[in-house]
Amino acid sequence: LNCVTMLLQAIALVAYSHLFLPASAWSTVARRGYKSSIARYGSLLANIGSLRSSSSLFLAQQANDGECGVTPEIPAPSSANSLVDSSSSLSRKPKAGDVVTFTLLRFQPTDGSDDESLVLEPLFDTSGTLQLVLDGGNYLPGLHQLLFTMNPGETVRGTSVDAGYGSYNPDLVFQVSTAEIGDSIDSSLVKVGTALRMGNGMECRVTEMNDEKWTLDANHALAGAAYDVDVKLEKVEEGPKNWEYASDDAKDDKYKVATFALGCFWGGELAYQRMPGVISTHVGYTQGQKENPTYEEVCTGTTGHTEAIRIIYDPDIASYKSLVQLALDRLGGDIYKLNQVGNDRGTQYRHGVYYHNDKQKEVVEELFSGLGSEGREVMTELKESDIFYMAEEYHQQYLLKGGQSAKKGAGETIRCYG
């Protein structure tokens, strides 16, 4: 398999930049140039075809200093809402967009042992009664697929759920001759087990090396891993129907919607994923003029959009006030900066709170009142919510896919760049 036709000097420049640029500088390069890296959960192998035509590799080392704002204290639930009360449950099987409440009775590696070293520690909650928006991310795709098939009150035992790393594919193992590699990369920096990344963003590992060729494996190290699951579907409820601004609160919607722009949407999304009462998150683009913008278009700053996070939450557990307070905690002093959050600058990174009804507006205005004292003007937009365009799939739950915990109440520092 001739996956790599030639490693050119330009490729070497990328590799050596990754090795020797200051970590902060590499974080900026990675943020802007390689935002389409692989998604470990879900579509890991979606671009297999492009792997064969890729013509570049670069050494991949983690830049672990890319902290993405502070990690604020997670607000406590506002009430002791009983998730297992099935009185409001629909009698049908769930469909995409429904809020499902389920209990994970068992969740362990497929071989039946309790050896968690067989697979990575799950990065989401795996015990007790949980909620998600079906087909709305945040949990393993295999778990969503299982819940689609179940009826309220039904328990399924002994089902295997893919651990999110895909099946092992022997076609993703290929060889590159040392003649093709040439002097583009210092081979002394590479050994068996070294992680490389294709120019299209897919990762691979060196599994064998000799004087004539390298063998590379683009399967994830945990490809084929799975969990045995016992799960009970407690109830099925309709998700929100009202997505854009309306002066009156949508009283028929049990679950509510909130939208925030906090600069880079990766870190903000993970912060909300960790918050009790938040049951779904998506990232996307809002407050702009162009319909269905792409990430590349938004990055030009010409479409008028800003990177945003849209949240579905249970107001009996997470109050809207606590959601806004989390936004304020993450922004900190950046609320006084125009079109800037941290080191990210441009209209596409402007910060804002986009309320969905007048009740939310009152909460926002109360929390922001007084913040502009002592001659400091608050630059955070406080506006009615507008059309929200979903960002590309690889952006959704990006930091969870990259290995950071989305467990409720998790307190680890959120790193924007890996």
Side-chain angles (χ1 to χ4, degrees), residues 54-106:
S54 173
S55 62
S56 62
L57 296 170
F58 65 84
L59 294 174
Q61 296 178 344
Q62 289 286 350
N64 288 324
D65 67 332
E67 294 185 4
C68 194
V70 299
T71 302
E73 181 178 350
I74 300 296
S78 58
S79 69
N81 180 51
S82 176
L83 295 180
V84 295
D85 177 8
S86 60
S87 60
S88 61
S89 179
L90 302 171
S91 58
R92 59 168 171 77
K93 288 183 178 180
K95 60 185 181 181
D98 284 342
V99 175
V100 296
T101 302
F102 61 100
T103 300
L104 282 176
L105 304 170
R106 185 170 66 100

Side-chain angles (χ1 to χ4, degrees), residues 249-266:
D249 185 17
K251 299 209 170 33
D252 56 332
D253 283 353
K254 175 180 177 181
Y255 298 98
K256 307 297 183 182
V257 183
T259 304
F260 303 96
L262 307 176
C264 167
F265 47 28
W266 294 344

Side-chain angles (χ1 to χ4, degrees), residues 189-202:
L189 300 172
V190 182
K191 59 184 179 181
V192 171
T194 296
L196 306 174
R197 186 174 296 163
M198 307 300 296
N200 63 0
M202 292 189 69

